[in-house]
Amino acid sequence: MNAYHSLCLEIAVLIPICGALWIRRLGDTESAQRWSIAIAAGALAAVVLGWIGFVLDSSGNTNAQWSLLGAVAGRHYLSFDSLNVPLLLLVALIYLATIVTTPRTKARRFSFTWTLIAESIALATFSCRDAWLLIVLLTVAVYPPYRELRSRNQSTRVYAIHMIGFVGLLIAGQAMLEAEFAFIDGSSWKALPLLLAILVRSGVAPFHTWVPDLFQRAAFGTALTHVLPMAGVYAAVRLLLPSATAEAIQAIDILSLLTAVYAAGMALVQTDVRRFFSYQFLSQSSLVMVGIGIDDSLGVAGGLAVWLSVGLALAGFGLTLRSVEARCGRLPLDKYHGLYEQLPTLAVFFLLTGLASIGFPGTFGFIGVEMLIGAAVLDSPWIGLAIVCAAAINGVSLMRAYLSLFTGTRHTGTVALRMLPAERIAVLALAALIIGGGLFPQPAIESRYDAAEELRASRIGNVSQTAP
């Protein structure tokens, strides 16, 4: 099987899009959801099989592998490597958990067809290393949320302006990196459009306003699946960092660090649950950008580990808020709602996933945050202090939201709010990964350190080739 892991990856990409064509013919929402769960589970299984084959393949020779694209085009456009293996597992898991936990009250307004199409695009994106194909996939990926906004009769202006700018800057930036312009002196200016595109897609301030707007206007599940994999960070790693100058990386670090602190402060004063979550995400994802920009293998590995832990923890955190919203509607955070007696499991999972996202000891995020802070302090004490401040403010805003939603009064509703079996399964699975990763972090950390070494080697090799 180790010679066919690229084929498993292609099958994982094909399963959701073929399944989307199938369930589009179904008129029954419940049947569509059941089929969607099976299709998303099949995609996850294919990724797992490919991962096993990749681990067993000791040669590392992509030419020895067999795949459909390799047989047709003579080139492996989709492949596993040390960076994207856990990211692909994360993407498949996020989509499966989102589909499984979609309540009946939301199912009619949640498009399972377009969710599966978006999953196929995301899996292809995170398995692609070819620059122009990656740009095409990133461009196509902006359409499903736009279509969702249009179908819900919501304003698309903020989202469209940012995404049009992102796509235009992305194409222009890659073209400038590959072309020779006599009127542009220095690679720093060549990388500027690509740098701006990455900042827009990653939601780095001041290009962040589309993220809270998307969470407020689109379905919660659509917003979660679109932002949580952090495609902007992946684009930065594949397109920008291999050819980035020290000035470009420094700009990413400074802006990302400011965004982490700013977004943490904004989360602290939000009264809308969705806006609170969106700013929590912006703060945590900005720390990932800080990590991959540190010129140290330990710091890069910490950033990559935080990427996984934040994606996993915020997926559970967001799905918890989505489940609460499905039962009680959009709850303001300036009042007490006292939902603990009605939803004790969701309350516990709210705390678990929220604390895991900020690196609480015993959770999967703890080691990654510690590595990131340790490397950042060696680089600059101010960077380490800013990371600690952002985490502390996020912790305060998390506890404020918990107290508002689950304590302070007694909920007097007449409708039972107990969790459904599918929600319990998803919650327990994510909790097991969060706690298991915290108790046994060594395999994941070793994987992230190997990926960090490869990323730094590619950057150093590029610098040595371009140095006079």
Side-chain angles (χ1 to χ4, degrees):
M1 185 183 65
N2 55 346
Y4 294 95
H5 52 81
S6 292
L7 177 62
C8 291
L9 184 54
E10 292 172 349
I11 292 174
V13 173
L14 288 175
I15 287 175
I17 196 158
C18 293
L21 297 176
W22 164 252
I23 67 170
R24 188 176 182 180
R25 303 170 56 186
L26 301 177
D28 183 15
T29 302
E30 293 186 8
S31 298
Q33 184 172 11
R34 287 196 298 267
W35 274 103
S36 297
I37 293 173
I39 292 165
L44 177 60
V47 173
V48 171
L49 289 175
W51 166 52
I52 296 173
F54 175 76
V55 173
L56 296 177
D57 186 8
S58 59
S59 66
N61 182 15
T62 57
N63 294 325
Q65 304 165 19
W66 193 91
S67 66
L68 294 174
L69 286 177
V72 174
R75 182 178 177 184
H76 295 275
Y77 287 97
L78 307 181
S79 61
F80 287 105
D81 61 20
S82 60
L83 172 67
N84 68 8
V85 166
L87 297 176
L88 287 164
L89 293 171
L90 176 65
V91 170
L93 185 61
I94 287 173
Y95 276 90
L96 176 60
T98 302
I99 294 173
V100 167
T101 58
T102 300
R104 294 180 180 178
T105 56
K106 300 284 186 179
R108 293 184 178 181
R109 301 188 65 190
F110 184 75
S111 176
F112 295 105
T113 299
W114 281 98
T115 299
L116 291 175
I117 293 174
E119 180 181 8
S120 181
I121 297 171
L123 289 173
T125 300
F126 280 84
S127 58
C128 179
R129 302 181 67 177
D130 181 81
W132 284 108
L133 179 57
L134 179 57
I135 289 173
V136 171
L137 291 170
L138 289 168
T139 301
V140 175
V142 307
Y143 178 72
Y146 175 80
R147 183 190 178 280
E148 165 110 2
L149 294 174
R150 291 292 301 270
S151 66
R152 295 166 67 93
N153 296 320
Q154 296 289 332
S155 173
T156 60
R157 183 180 62 178
V158 174
Y159 179 80
I161 290 175
H162 283 82
M163 291 302 105
I164 290 173
F166 160 67
V167 172
L169 289 168
L170 193 66
I171 296 172
Q174 186 62 30
M176 289 178 64
L177 283 179
E178 296 182 359
E180 293 293 337
F181 294 100
F183 56 89
I184 298 181
D185 184 19
S187 56
S188 298
W189 291 105
K190 285 186 177 182
L192 182 59
L194 192 57
L195 171 63
L196 293 175
I198 299 301
L199 296 178
V200 171
R201 183 60 179 84
S202 301
V204 176
F207 311 107
H208 66 286
T209 53
W210 68 271
V211 177
D213 183 80
L214 180 65
F215 271 94
Q216 279 200 300
R217 299 181 186 278
F220 208 157
T222 300
L224 287 174
T225 54
H226 185 63
V227 304
L228 284 183
M230 304 183 205
V233 182
Y234 187 78
V237 171
R238 292 301 193 198
L239 300 177
L240 182 62
L241 292 186
S243 57
T245 61
E247 292 81 4
I249 295 176
Q250 186 177 19
I252 290 177
D253 283 346
I254 294 174
L255 291 175
S256 298
L257 199 61
L258 292 175
T259 302
V261 178
Y262 163 76
M266 289 295 293
L268 186 61
V269 299
Q270 296 302 311
T271 59
D272 180 82
V273 169
R274 291 197 182 191
R275 290 184 67 87
F276 156 75
F277 178 83
S278 67
Y279 280 109
Q280 281 272 340
F281 165 77
L282 288 172
S283 180
Q284 303 293 346
S285 62
S286 296
L287 294 181
V288 179
M289 294 289 286
V290 173
I292 65 173
I294 295 177
D295 190 19
D296 179 80
S297 295
L298 183 66
V300 177
L304 296 179
V306 171
W307 191 349
L308 290 180
S309 64
V310 166
L312 185 63
L314 287 185
F317 193 36
L319 293 176
T320 301
L321 291 175
R322 183 178 182 230
S323 296
V324 173
E325 182 182 285
R327 290 161 171 79
C328 307
R330 296 196 184 187
L331 300 176
L333 295 179
D334 56 353
K335 298 179 181 179
Y336 291 106
H337 303 283
L339 295 174
Y340 183 86
E341 292 185 0
Q342 296 287 335
L343 298 170
T345 306
L346 284 178
V348 172
F349 195 60
F350 181 99
L351 273 183
L352 173 64
T353 54
L355 293 174
S357 69
I358 61 175
F360 192 77
T363 63
F364 184 37
F366 175 67
I367 300 297
V369 172
E370 285 295 302
M371 293 170 61
L372 179 59
I373 293 176
V377 169
L378 294 177
D379 191 16
S380 171
W382 294 106
I383 297 178
L385 179 61
I387 295 174
V388 172
C389 288
I393 297 172
N394 282 326
V396 173
S397 65
L398 167 70
M399 293 307 302
R400 170 179 170 268
Y402 173 81
L403 295 173
S404 173
L405 292 174
F406 296 104
T407 69
T409 186
R410 186 181 297 272
H411 184 75
T412 57
T414 58
V415 179
L417 302 179
R418 64 182 182 274
M419 293 183 65
L420 301 176
E423 291 176 320
R424 289 184 180 273
I425 293 173
V427 163
L428 291 175
L430 290 174
L433 290 174
I434 291 170
I435 297 175
L439 297 177
F440 305 100
Q442 191 64 27
I445 297 302
E446 287 182 351
S447 168
R448 297 304 80 202
Y449 192 83
D450 292 340
E453 288 282 287
E454 291 186 11
L455 290 178
R456 290 198 68 240
S458 66
R459 286 164 56 179
I460 294 172
N462 180 73
V463 171
S464 63
Q465 290 177 6
T466 57

